[in-house]
Amino acid sequence: DRLRGAGDTVSGQCVGSYRAVREVGRGGMGVVYAAEHPLLGSQAVVKQLRPELSAQRDVIERFFNEARAATAIRHPGIVEIYDFGWTSEGAAFIVMEYLRGETLRARHKRGPMRWSTALALTRQIAGALGAAHAKGIVHRDLKPDNVFVLYQTSLDGWPLVKVIDYGVAAEVGAPPSDAIAGTPAYMPPEQWRGRALHP
């Protein structure tokens, strides 16, 4: 479960319509909290940038790009975004779906999977990407760490998949940028060749 191994407790800090319950991760960019809606009791995950990074326009653009892209696509294979904005302290945040499962990389480390399972996961990933392309959005960093395999299964018994982290997504046909965003081994070939992006 992505929210197991909780860290320090957060004393009811409100982020948007949600209340942070506990810290579950921390890095150079910010903090990740497990959260819940105080009235509905529904669970969520909050990604919150450090205040100093929240003042940098390029960082904010990439951070909120994840929320905008996922909201525009609206597909069951794309992580759902509930809210985004700024806290009263000026830190940017995104509130997103609470996922129970593990990344595809973590699943792979546990050992090989059956071909039928791999095919079922691949079909779901392709469906999510197809929905993104239909909205004119290219992920640009589709790697095992950005594919989340849920503990939940489909009616056919296959594990369900969510594609996450659309922070470096770009529009189809977008001109090349001087800044290379994404993981080189997984980014679209036309991106590192300096060409416009296409699905």
Side-chain angles (χ1 to χ4, degrees):
D1 192 319
R2 202 173 189 187
L3 296 183
R4 289 178 184 168
D8 298 334
T9 300
V10 179
S11 56
Q13 175 185 350
C14 288
V15 184
S17 300
Y18 287 79
R19 182 178 65 242
V21 176
R22 63 187 184 277
E23 180 181 321
V24 296
R26 180 179 290 268
M29 298 288 289
V31 187
V32 179
Y33 299 110
E36 65 180 10
H37 195 286
L39 297 179
L40 300 175
S42 55
Q43 294 179 310
V45 172
V46 174
K47 292 172 65 174
Q48 183 174 306
L49 280 181
R50 299 203 323 255
E52 59 269 29
L53 292 178
S54 297
Q56 298 181 22
R57 185 171 181 176
D58 57 334
V59 175
I60 285 296
E61 182 66 23
R62 175 175 170 176
F63 187 68
F64 283 158
N65 195 43
E66 177 177 3
R68 287 191 292 264
T71 301
I73 300 166
R74 297 192 64 83
H75 184 273
I78 304 291
V79 65
E80 187 175 354
I81 303 298
Y82 298 149
D83 194 8
F84 67 99
W86 281 267
T87 67
S88 57
E89 292 78 23
F93 71 85
I94 298 176
V95 183
M96 63 183 64
E97 185 178 3
Y98 174 44
L99 302 179
R100 294 176 174 85
E102 59 187 347
T103 65
L104 185 57
R105 184 180 298 281
R107 171 61 185 85
H108 178 69
K109 286 182 177 179
R110 292 198 289 107
M113 64 177 68
R114 294 179 301 166
W115 277 107
S116 55
T117 302
L119 181 59
L121 299 185
T122 301
R123 284 175 173 165
Q124 292 181 61
I125 295 168
L129 294 178
H133 296 165
K135 293 290 186 177
I137 298 171
V138 178
H139 190 288
R140 293 205 300 176
D141 198 20
L142 187 68
K143 58 186 178 182
D145 288 318
N146 287 337
V147 176
F148 206 82
V149 183
L150 305 182
Y151 295 143
Q152 181 184 356
T153 58
S154 66
L155 294 177
D156 296 331
W158 302 115
L160 294 175
V161 164
K162 294 275 187 178
V163 177
I164 62 176
D165 198 355
Y166 267 80
V168 296
E171 294 182 359
V172 170
S177 171
D178 292 335
I180 300 297
T183 307
Y186 295 98
M187 66 176 56
E190 62 270 25
Q191 183 176 342
W192 49 261
R193 288 174 181 161
R195 300 175 182 173
L197 297 172
H198 296 283

